């Protein structure tokens, strides 16, 4: 009995009318019985497109032929093997004919290829023609399907319907209010995350810091992955959080260049433009920064003798880490150099901070610009019109640009006011502290401490950590106990 290796594939887009995996496996086993083959392997690719060449099951199936584990390769149909046409068909033929794909020389024993619909490599030259034609037909069918699906999705989006797939972060798909198809509604929990991330950027944090904060909080992307700088910027600069839609990568607009926004927005257009400006490349690169602070109080704790900032140092093996005044080594007078245990100082400051203020509700800054909505909308339309002029310089497009520029000149005369307010996050300061890493905790302390000084220790007698050496003056504001 010839040994046979079986491979079946079902696309992730398969619907109820598609042949099931169980059905295809049963058909191939019927073929094995009819031909007198012995099944030695079954490789399944479930939910994988035929345009993916390195499907695990497909690659193992071909290896069965190359390594001599099988003498016959069975598939349900050519379009189950590949939908890429000639390139992959040639790779399969190399395995069937036992050739090295690079040199064309014999590399292993030829194997037989069959499918459930009558394809058989034992049919000589007729097989090669039939196989290549069917592979190309499968490729053409895939391209027609992709084009058809793209056109359908475009029509649905222009009609204000959600075309399917994973909703943007911050949204959830719901039945459309008029009963036809789906729409997007705001996911309040995710929208709060988007808004907080936007507030961090407008307060001066870069995308890397925002990504670290998202990961610290345990938030994941829509695909269940960690956040990176690029995914943060894509989320905050895209049109999705405005409630707008895109077709073929371009935002849908009306004849006047206004954004089509069929869904509720998480942020408004002025905020969106401010975020894009924050992420835009700067004309002058910022000066290089030194190493990031290594410990909680780095750059915060100062010498009570000379006022210099203490540096992290190690006294020696097994002695732990200390904060030490290095003013004298830098040529600055210091009557009495200060050293203090880093671990004990950090524990004390943390305890004082959380005992005093940990119960307070956590807030964050939110930047809003009043009177800027119309100006932002016109700026957005001007930008879209300029892009359109680059591809089609029509008279009506020039006329629209002139009209928009005139509107912008009028709107610039309207006074605008930037307002910074603090909004509740729904967490206490202690809960926020526990969720953050050292970097995030430093940010909390930097905003809460006006002065942190370490005084000199004992020059003789029994030594040890004395909390009274630390003088803490808390900053006024949200951490002020008198508030």
């Amino acid at each position: 009995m010839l040994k046979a290796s079986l491979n079946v594939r079902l696309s992730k887009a398969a619907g109820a009318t598609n042949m099931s995996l169980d059905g295809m496996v049963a058909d191939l086993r019927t073929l094995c019985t009819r031909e007198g083959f012995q099944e030695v392997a079954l490789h399944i690719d479930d939910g994988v497109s035929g345009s993916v060449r390195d499907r695990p099951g497909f690659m193992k199936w071909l290896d069965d032929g190359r390594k001599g584990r099988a003498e016959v390769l069975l598939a349900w149909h050519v379009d189950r093997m590949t939908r890429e046409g000639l390139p992959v068909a040639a790779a399969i033929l190399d395995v069937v004919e036992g050739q090295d794909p690079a040199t064309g020389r014999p590399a292993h024993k030829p194997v037989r290829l069959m499918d459930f619909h009558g394809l058989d490599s034992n049919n000589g030259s007729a097989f090669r023609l039939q196989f290549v034609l069917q592979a190309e037909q499968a490729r053409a069918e895939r391209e027609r399907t992709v084009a058809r699906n793209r056109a359908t999705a475009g029509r649905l989006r222009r009609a204000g319907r959600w075309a399917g797939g994973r909703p943007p972060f911050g949204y959830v798909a719901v039945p459309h209010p008029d009963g036809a198809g789906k729409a997007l509604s705001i996911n309040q929990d995710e929208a709060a995350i988007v808004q907080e991330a936007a507030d961090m950027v407008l307060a001066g944090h870069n995308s890397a810091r925002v990504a670290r904060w998202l990961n610290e909080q345990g938030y994941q992307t829509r695909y269940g992955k960690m956040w990176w700088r690029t995914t943060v910027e894509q989320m905050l600069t895209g049109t999705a959080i405005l409630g707008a839609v895109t077709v073929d990568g371009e935002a849908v607009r009306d004849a006047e260049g206004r954004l089509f926004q069929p869904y509720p927005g998480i942020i408004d257009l002025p905020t969106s433009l401010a975020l894009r400006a924050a992420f835009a490349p700067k004309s002058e690169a910022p000066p290089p920064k030194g190493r990031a602070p290594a410990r909680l109080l780095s750059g915060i704790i100062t010498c009570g003798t000379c006022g210099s900032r203490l540096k992290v140092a190690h006294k020696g093996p097994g002695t732990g880490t200390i904060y030490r005044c290095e003013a004298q080594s830098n040529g600055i007078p210091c009557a009495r150099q200060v050293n203090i245990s880093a671990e004990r100082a950090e524990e004390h400051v943390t305890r004082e901070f959380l005992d005093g203020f940990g119960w307070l509700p956590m807030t964050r800054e939110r930047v809003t610009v009043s009177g800027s909505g119309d100006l932002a909308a016109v700026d957005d339309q001007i930008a879209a019109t300029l892009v359109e002029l680059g591809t089609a310089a029509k008279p009506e497009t020039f006329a629209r640009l002139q009209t928009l520029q005139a509107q912008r000149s009028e709107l610039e005369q309207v006074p605008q006011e930037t307002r910074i307010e603090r909004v509740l996050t729904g967490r206490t300061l202690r809960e926020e502290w526990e969720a953050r890493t050292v970097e995030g905790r430093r940010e909390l302390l930097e905003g809460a401490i006006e002065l942190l000084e370490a005084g000199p220790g004992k020059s003789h007698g029994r030594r040890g950590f004395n909390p009274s050496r630390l003088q803490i003056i808390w900053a006024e504001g949200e951490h002020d106990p008198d508030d």
Side-chain angles (χ1 to χ4, degrees):
M1 298 178 67
L2 296 179
K3 293 178 292 186
S5 176
L6 286 56
N7 177 233
V8 294
R9 178 187 65 82
L10 193 67
S11 172
K12 62 182 178 180
T17 58
N18 289 74
M19 174 63 67
S20 69
L21 286 173
D22 290 343
M24 287 189 283
V25 171
D27 286 343
L28 291 182
R29 284 175 173 164
T30 298
L31 179 60
C32 274
T33 301
R34 188 175 68 221
E35 296 291 333
F37 299 150
Q38 176 192 359
E39 178 186 336
V40 294
L42 171 63
H43 303 294
I44 297 176
D45 291 307
D46 191 0
V48 186
S49 169
S51 62
V52 177
R53 299 186 184 187
D54 58 350
R55 304 187 306 274
F58 176 70
M59 300 304 292
K60 292 177 182 176
W61 180 65
L62 291 180
D63 268 347
D64 284 345
R66 291 192 190 98
K67 303 295 176 58
R69 293 189 292 264
E71 299 157 293
V72 183
L73 299 178
L74 298 184
W76 193 78
H77 191 272
V78 173
D79 63 13
R80 299 299 88 193
M81 302 181 208
T82 179
R83 285 192 177 274
E84 282 207 282
L86 285 173
V88 179
I92 296 173
L93 286 174
D94 282 336
V95 175
V96 171
E97 296 172 358
Q99 295 178 340
D100 185 297
T103 65
R105 296 192 180 100
H108 58 82
K109 186 178 179 180
V111 296
R112 186 176 178 183
L113 178 67
M114 296 179 67
D115 75 5
F116 184 72
H117 294 79
L119 183 76
D120 188 345
S121 60
N122 279 359
N123 290 340
S125 59
F127 154 76
R128 291 178 64 91
L129 180 60
Q130 182 184 8
F131 177 62
V132 170
L133 285 175
Q134 289 186 13
E136 279 297 299
Q137 287 172 352
R139 180 195 58 79
E141 181 182 348
R142 178 178 66 88
E143 291 181 351
R144 287 192 297 270
T145 301
V146 169
R148 184 167 58 248
N149 291 342
R150 185 180 292 119
T152 300
R155 287 193 295 270
L156 287 172
R157 289 171 181 160
R158 290 187 180 94
R161 266 66 175 172
W162 176 241
R166 290 184 175 91
F169 191 85
Y171 289 91
V172 60
V174 298
H176 200 280
D178 66 8
K182 297 281 188 179
L184 290 183
S185 178
I186 290 179
N187 179 321
Q188 296 298 335
D189 291 339
E190 292 183 350
I193 296 170
V194 174
Q195 185 65 65
E196 192 162 355
D199 290 342
M200 289 182 67
V201 172
L202 296 179
H205 294 286
N206 60 28
S207 56
R209 176 68 189 100
V210 177
R212 288 195 297 273
W213 170 77
L214 289 166
N215 293 325
E216 289 166 9
Q217 301 296 319
Y219 302 138
Q220 294 183 323
T221 69
R222 174 61 73 234
Y223 294 88
K225 299 181 181 297
M226 293 180 59
W227 291 90
W228 298 89
R229 291 174 50 190
T230 51
T231 50
V232 168
E233 294 181 16
Q234 287 167 1
M235 176 182 71
L236 295 179
T237 60
T239 57
I241 58 175
L242 290 168
V245 296
T246 58
V247 174
D248 295 334
E250 297 292 334
V252 178
R253 298 176 180 272
D254 62 16
E256 300 302 319
R258 290 185 291 266
L259 275 175
F260 176 50
Q261 297 169 281
Y263 312 125
I266 297 175
I267 63 172
D268 57 20
L269 191 54
T271 303
S272 175
L273 294 180
L275 289 169
R276 294 177 195 178
F279 288 128
K282 305 299 186 291
S283 56
E284 295 183 4
K289 298 181 179 179
R291 292 187 302 173
R295 299 193 65 93
L296 182 65
L297 302 180
S298 298
I300 299 177
I301 188 169
T302 59
C303 175
T305 302
C306 67
S308 300
R309 300 208 180 272
L310 303 186
K311 304 291 185 181
V312 176
H314 300 278
K315 294 181 66 176
T319 58
T321 305
I322 61 171
Y323 289 108
R324 180 172 64 191
C325 177
E326 298 184 350
Q328 291 182 349
S329 62
N330 292 324
I332 300 173
C334 183
R336 191 171 177 186
Q337 188 178 34
V338 170
N339 295 332
I340 192 167
S341 166
E343 289 80 4
R344 301 296 295 276
E346 291 163 0
E347 290 173 1
H348 176 73
V349 172
T350 298
R351 184 167 53 252
E352 292 290 306
F353 180 56
L354 295 181
D355 287 349
F357 314 116
W359 56 272
L360 289 171
M362 185 67 190
T363 63
R364 69 174 187 273
E365 287 187 353
R366 176 171 292 173
V367 181
T368 58
V369 182
S370 62
S372 64
D374 291 339
L375 181 60
V378 170
D379 281 339
D380 181 67
Q381 290 173 253
I382 289 175
T385 303
L386 288 171
V387 172
E388 187 178 341
L389 279 173
T391 57
K394 300 178 182 179
E396 55 267 30
T397 310
F398 278 110
R400 186 203 312 159
L401 179 61
Q402 291 176 328
T403 301
L404 290 171
Q405 289 173 332
Q407 292 177 8
R408 193 186 194 289
S409 297
E410 295 177 4
L411 291 171
E412 283 180 324
Q413 307 306 315
V414 179
Q416 299 180 17
E417 177 185 358
T418 300
R419 184 174 69 257
I420 300 178
E421 58 181 341
R422 302 204 70 86
V423 296
L424 295 172
T425 66
R427 300 182 293 273
T428 64
L429 193 148
R430 183 181 293 273
E431 290 169 338
E432 184 70 21
W433 179 274
E434 295 298 333
R436 293 194 180 193
T437 59
V438 172
E439 180 183 22
R441 292 174 178 179
R442 281 176 47 78
E443 292 172 358
L444 294 176
L445 285 180
E446 286 173 339
I449 292 178
E450 183 72 26
L451 176 69
L452 175 60
E453 279 188 348
K458 293 182 179 181
S459 58
H460 59 275
R462 183 179 178 184
R463 300 186 182 186
F465 179 75
N466 182 0
S468 64
R469 292 178 59 195
L470 290 173
Q471 179 188 12
I472 307 175
I473 299 179
W474 301 106
E476 296 182 356
E478 63 173 317
H479 301 292
D480 189 344
D482 295 330
D483 274 356

